[in-house]
């Protein structure tokens, strides 16, 4: 079965919106929205392929950022490996140079766009928090030492009114 290596970009603008491109008629999965990118050429690094594809498709020169996710996807006639990278810096004005429609979409609305199967896990990854708080496992109550209170202290506190009254009666 044929294996196709594809790179795609999650391009974000200053407002945090993400750029989607609509697949044009005459292509597989026409009419669906996708993250811009394309096929890697033999011997091409993912970063170089993404820079080339974004220039060809959108007319921008991108600075490729961190890896986001790699999605393996099986189609009836091929296996696809989608390598997705962040892009938040570029020069030029993104425009559909191949006749494709473009849309800047807030992250919380991405799931409302019909997408190819390989792009759906990308949306799920984008909607996850960028960090998680990890707390220690709670200690069972029996293993916790009791907290000392004024009534359990061996030495009476001189500013405790009950202690002062008891001391006065004893004298």
């Amino acid at each position: 079965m044929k294996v196709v290596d594809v790179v795609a970009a999650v391009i974000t603008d200053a407002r945090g919106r993400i750029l989607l491109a609509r697949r044009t008629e005459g292509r597989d999965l026409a009419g669906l929205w996708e993250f811009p990118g394309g096929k890697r050429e033999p011997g091409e690094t993912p970063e170089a392929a993404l820079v080339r594809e974004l220039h060809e498709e959108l007319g921008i020169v991108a600075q490729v950022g961190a890896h986001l996710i790699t999605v393996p996807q099986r189609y009836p006639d091929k296996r696809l490996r989608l390598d997705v990278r962040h892009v938040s810096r570029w020069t030029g004005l993104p425009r559909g140079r191949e006749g494709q429609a473009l849309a800047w979409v807030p992250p919380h609305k991405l799931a409302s766009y019909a997408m190819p199967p390989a792009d759906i896990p990308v949306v799920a990854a984008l909607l996850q928090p960028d960090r998680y708080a990890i707390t220690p496992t709670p200690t069972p109550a029996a293993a916790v030492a009791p907290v000392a209170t004024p009534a359990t202290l061996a030495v009476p506190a001189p500013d405790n009114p009950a202690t002062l009254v008891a001391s006065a009666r004893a004298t």
Side-chain angles (χ1 to χ4, degrees), residues 7-162:
V7 290
V10 172
I11 302 173
T12 55
D13 69 3
R15 293 172 47 192
R17 298 174 304 173
I18 296 170
L19 185 65
L20 295 180
R22 194 166 202 176
R23 295 181 64 85
T24 55
E25 292 303 316
R27 297 178 64 197
D28 289 346
L29 308 170
L32 297 181
W33 292 90
E34 67 181 354
F35 298 97
K39 294 177 190 169
R40 276 179 57 190
E41 298 294 333
E44 198 173 34
T45 66
E47 295 82 3
L50 193 53
V51 168
R52 178 184 50 76
E53 285 286 345
L54 295 178
H55 187 263
E56 289 173 5
E57 287 186 19
L58 304 175
I60 64 172
V61 177
Q63 291 181 14
V64 178
H67 175 263
L68 173 67
I69 189 172
T70 298
V71 181
Q73 182 67 46
R74 176 172 260 153
Y75 291 100
D77 59 334
K78 64 186 168 193
R79 289 175 46 195
L80 181 114
R81 183 175 170 266
L82 180 63
D83 183 347
V84 184
R85 309 292 174 111
H86 286 282
V87 171
S88 58
R89 299 181 124 180
W90 68 89
T91 57
L93 180 64
R95 63 189 188 286
R97 295 178 79 184
E98 298 172 348
Q100 72 275 38
L102 302 178
W104 287 103
V105 181
H108 70 277
K109 291 189 176 182
L110 287 171
S112 66
Y113 284 75
M115 295 184 164
D119 287 79
I120 293 169
V122 180
V123 173
L126 289 168
L127 297 178
Q128 295 301 311
D130 64 347
R131 58 182 58 96
Y132 291 92
I134 299 174
T135 58
T137 304
T139 308
V144 176
V147 176
T149 63
T152 62
L153 291 175
V155 179
D159 59 343
N160 183 338

